[in-house]
Amino acid sequence: MTTSPRRSALRASVTLAATLLTASTLSGCGVFGSPDLVIYNAQHEELLDEIVPLFEEESGLDVELRSGKDLEMANQIVEEGEDSPADVFLTENSPAMTIVDNAGLFAELPEAATASIPEEYVPADRTWTGFLARSTVAMYNTDSMTEADMPASILDFAKPEWKGRVAFSPTGADFQAIVSAVLELEGEEATRTWLEGLKANGVIVQNNLVVMQSVDSGEVDAGIAYHYYWYRDREENGTDSDSSALHFFGNQDPGAFLSISGAGILASSEHQEAAEEFVTWLTGTDAQQAMAESYALEYPLNPDASLNPDVKPFDELEPPQVDVASLNGPQVTDLMTAAGLL
């Protein structure tokens, strides 16, 4: 959550009142009046807490952040409909954007908001735009495995020879986005077979950090996650990645899927001009470079911004071609539920 600097002193003086308010009410300038912009944020809260103050300082606008999870916030917006207080919706993975878009709740973005983002990361109708990307990877334990031991396709992890050897976290939006790519690329039947194989042979863990820890400790030989977990740990201390390495799938395999974080403006927003200013700023070079230099280590989509050189370069990835607007979150959860993964 963010607070305008010019209001911080005033807010500090009302300690008793503050204790009676919810966290969302305390955000921005919500205590003393309406904010200039309300953002429903399903991207990493820590990242937005870091970059939104930069926008506030540059624009002079007060921003209220309400953070939550991808699909939960998407469904909340759909339920709120035209009465939603949200002006902007940000997600970690694009299937949540599709839920809101399919409900007809987004406004078309101005050209300036999408001009700096490659067209493959912007839906054809320009109702939202990608702004960050994460590459699917497989982590492997370097004491028990080599790069040559890793499968050519992420689909191979469902085979019996991987029984008890590969960890994944099915309950999070990250893995569900990967499943949405498999569904788009391989079809429903192949996706169902893959999920059933993972259920039978994989090791289910709580989250992607536990995936990395399980691989590093040797509890499993490999794990499915996104690239930044491993790189972030290496940059911070290496505690959970000392005995592991990354395997990047190539050849447009579903395992090379790029999950896109999206930004859209609600058609019901009463602050269209401020919302357009924010999304245009978010995709611009300064904000993209700020995110590239943040703790997150996600790939900026603006080609003029560059990520930490220790991370595999974006142009060396070999992702499959996926229509970002077609990834189907509800169908994914139905298939995963049927497979006993949710």
Side-chain angles (χ1 to χ4, degrees), residues 155 158 182-183 185-197 335:
L155 302 180
V182 175
L183 177 62
L185 294 163
E186 303 293 329
E188 182 174 337
E189 189 58 39
T191 303
R192 181 181 293 109
T193 300
W194 182 61
L195 291 173
E196 290 172 351
L335 286 169

Side-chain angles (χ1 to χ4, degrees), residues 86-89 97 100 105-110 113 127-129 263-269 271-280:
D87 299 302
V88 174
F89 182 37
M97 301 300 290
V100 177
L105 298 176
F106 281 138
E108 183 178 340
L109 294 176
T127 49
W128 59 272
T129 181
I265 296 172
L266 278 298
S268 58
S269 168
H271 308 104
Q272 289 288 325
E273 186 175 340
E276 290 180 1
E277 183 177 353
F278 175 77
V279 176
T280 300

Side-chain angles (χ1 to χ4, degrees), residues 72-94:
E72 291 175 3
M73 298 205 86
N75 288 320
Q76 180 179 337
I77 289 173
V78 172
E79 183 177 347
E80 292 169 344
E82 294 183 357
D83 295 325
S84 178
D87 299 302
V88 174
F89 182 37
L90 304 180
T91 64
E92 191 170 354
N93 301 283
S94 63

Side-chain angles (χ1 to χ4, degrees), residues 17-33:
T19 62
L20 302 176
L21 297 170
T22 66
S24 63
T25 305
L26 283 169
S27 301
C29 59
V31 176
F32 299 103

